Each structure stands twice: as C-alpha cells, then as structure tokens.
C-alpha cells in the first residue's frame, strides 16, 4: 500500500512539472506560430538556396548525379 502512495505522489509531481514547463513556454510565445509549419510543405524545394560550390570534387559529383535524377523525372 505504501508503494501506491509513492506512485501517486510521483505522478502528481511529474504532471505539475510538465504543467509548469508548458505555462513557461506558452508565455514565451513557443506556440504562437501554428500556420507556417502547415504551409511550409506547399513551397517548392527549388526556392531553397543551395550552398555555394567550395570546389570539392565529391560535392560536384553528388550534385551532378542529383541533377541527372531530376532531369529524368521531369
């Protein structure tokens, strides 16, 4: 019976900690922007800027292979 009291105390304590963390994050504005993650998937991936070439041969090879795949799919 003692373990039951301990488990209830632990679960109520854990729930109180989660509630405090939620309230702190809600006041900081963590949950304000709920529209942009849903709309972000609609943007074309071509709009994302690629990194500039650094002159590395392996990067050029990988980019070349990716371009071939994209050309075949179009």
């Amino acid at each position: 019976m003692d373990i039951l009291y301990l488990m209830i105390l632990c679960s109520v304590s854990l729930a109180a900690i989660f509630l405090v963390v939620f309230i702190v994050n809600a006041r900081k504005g963590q949950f304000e922007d709920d529209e942009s993650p849903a709309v972000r998937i609609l943007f074309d991936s071509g709009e994302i800027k690629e990194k500039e070439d650094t002159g590395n041969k392996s990067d050029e090879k990988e980019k070349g292979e990716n371009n071939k795949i994209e050309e075949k799919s179009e």
Side-chain angles (χ1 to χ4, degrees):
M1 193 69 177
D2 291 334
I3 192 71
L4 187 60
Y5 295 134
L6 180 65
M7 289 177 63
I8 291 172
L9 179 65
C10 289
S11 63
V12 170
S13 300
L14 187 64
I17 290 170
F18 280 127
L19 181 65
V20 169
V21 169
F22 174 75
I23 290 171
V24 168
N25 285 330
R27 288 191 180 185
K28 286 183 179 180
Q30 180 74 26
F31 307 111
E32 292 294 323
D33 189 20
D34 58 348
E35 185 176 337
S36 64
V39 176
R40 191 179 310 146
I41 195 169
L42 300 175
F43 292 124
D44 189 20
S45 63
E47 293 177 4
I48 300 172
K49 295 181 181 178
E50 294 182 9
K51 294 181 180 178
E52 294 181 15
D53 292 334
T54 58
N56 193 349
K57 296 292 182 185
S58 63
D59 290 340
E60 291 175 6
K61 182 180 177 185
E62 290 176 7
K63 287 181 182 178
E65 291 174 359
N66 290 337
N67 289 338
K68 289 178 185 175
I69 294 171
E70 289 177 5
E71 289 175 2
K72 289 179 183 177
S73 64
E74 292 176 359

